[in-house]
Amino acid sequence: MEIIELEHPLSQHYLTILRDKNTTFETFRLAASKLSYLLIIEATKELQLDDKEIETPLIPTSGKELSSNTVAVSVLRAGLGLIDGPKDLIPNMTFGYIGVQRNEETAEPENYYENLPEVKDKDIFILEPMLATGGSLSYAIDTVKKYNPRKIYALTVISSPEGIKYISDKHPDITLLTGSVDEKLNENFYIIPGLGDMGDRLFGTV
Ligand code: URA
């Protein structure tokens, strides 16, 4: 599995805002949104282009236009926090949603919702901000793979070493983009140092 950890100063800046327990949920949402632009820019570096002949106000010239077909799939609910970058930057992107919840006792994923656009032969960007045990992300990847995508990218804000190992064992063919690889999981499967519960902090729930 290819792993790309963002090194851009802006990503480190916004990540620190996300980690800070004193960040209000409004500011938290904004920082997650900004980070989503940085993640999707890095993730889409290899999108395919076609040549396009155009005319500037001065002369004919040749340019490029995107030929890749792309889909962003949010893992509910925290994945909603990373939609802005893909939505605003990528032309003609379509959106899907997978509801996976973690059983608090076993930490095993359970599906409660699936709504995907056409996935076959497309580049899929799965938005799953916290790669903890890897159970939910792996579940989402398995779901998408059933529909024969061209390539799958997973975008996370923070990843645990345990989650990375789990995903790379199960899905060596994907590319993972992450804001940070953190130290470890604690006994409740939270990432340390992490940022707490991403969904709660995005939406102001407790
Ligand atoms: N999900 C979260 O929101 N935070 C963690 O630390 C782990 C899983």
Side-chain angles (χ1 to χ4, degrees):
M1 178 173 78
E2 185 184 10
I3 302 170
I4 300 170
E5 188 175 3
L6 296 189
E7 284 171 4
H8 199 288
L10 287 171
S11 86
Q12 296 180 46
H13 175 86
Y14 288 119
L15 193 56
T16 303
I17 292 174
L18 292 171
R19 289 189 192 281
D20 186 343
K21 71 174 185 181
N22 293 316
T23 297
T24 63
F25 73 86
E26 262 183 291
T27 307
F28 188 94
R29 272 207 288 265
L30 202 55
S33 164
K34 307 257 188 199
L35 198 56
S36 75
Y37 288 81
L38 298 166
L39 282 165
I40 197 70
I41 286 173
E42 191 64 37
T44 49
K45 271 185 161 167
E46 288 174 8
L47 285 188
Q48 285 148 21
L49 294 168
D50 286 332
D51 293 327
K52 183 175 187 189
E53 301 308 313
I54 54 163
E55 289 181 24
T56 73
L58 305 173
I59 56 162
T61 188
S62 58
K64 304 277 183 196
E65 67 180 356
L66 278 182
S67 59
S68 294
N69 289 312
T70 53
V71 180
V73 176
S74 286
V75 180
L76 298 175
R77 74 190 155 139
L80 296 174
L82 297 183
I83 276 185
D84 286 346
K87 170 173 66 65
D88 293 346
L89 284 180
I90 315 299
N92 299 324
M93 185 167 239
T94 53
F95 290 85
Y97 303 89
I98 296 176
V100 191
Q101 63 194 7
R102 189 166 63 153
N103 181 307
E104 294 298 333
E105 276 154 32
T106 63
E108 288 299 316
E110 297 169 339
N111 181 358
Y112 65 89
Y113 187 69
E114 181 186 319
N115 192 342
L116 296 174
E118 179 70 47
V119 159
K120 189 170 181 333
D121 296 331
K122 297 193 176 182
D123 287 327
I124 313 300
F125 299 87
I126 298 183
L127 313 177
E128 166 65 314
M130 303 300 280
L131 171 50
T133 60
S136 315
L137 179 58
S138 179
Y139 193 94
I141 295 170
D142 279 333
T143 303
V144 168
K145 277 184 173 172
K146 285 192 284 187
Y147 304 101
N148 301 316
R150 192 185 80 82
K151 163 98 189 157
I152 296 178
Y153 300 83
L155 277 55
T156 76
V157 171
I158 299 179
S159 303
S160 73
E162 295 89 336
I164 288 176
K165 163 112 183 43
Y166 187 78
I167 297 295
S168 65
D169 286 349
K170 291 206 146 198
H171 302 287
D173 50 335
I174 75 145
T175 295
L176 172 73
L177 294 105
T178 186
S180 170
V181 179
D182 273 13
E183 279 169 42
K184 59 173 183 181
L185 291 179
N186 73 6
E187 60 286 2
N188 296 318
F189 310 108
Y190 277 87
I191 301 174
I192 301 294
L195 53 72
D197 188 294
M198 182 84 183
D200 284 348
R201 298 200 62 198
L202 273 172
F203 299 112
T205 48
V206 281

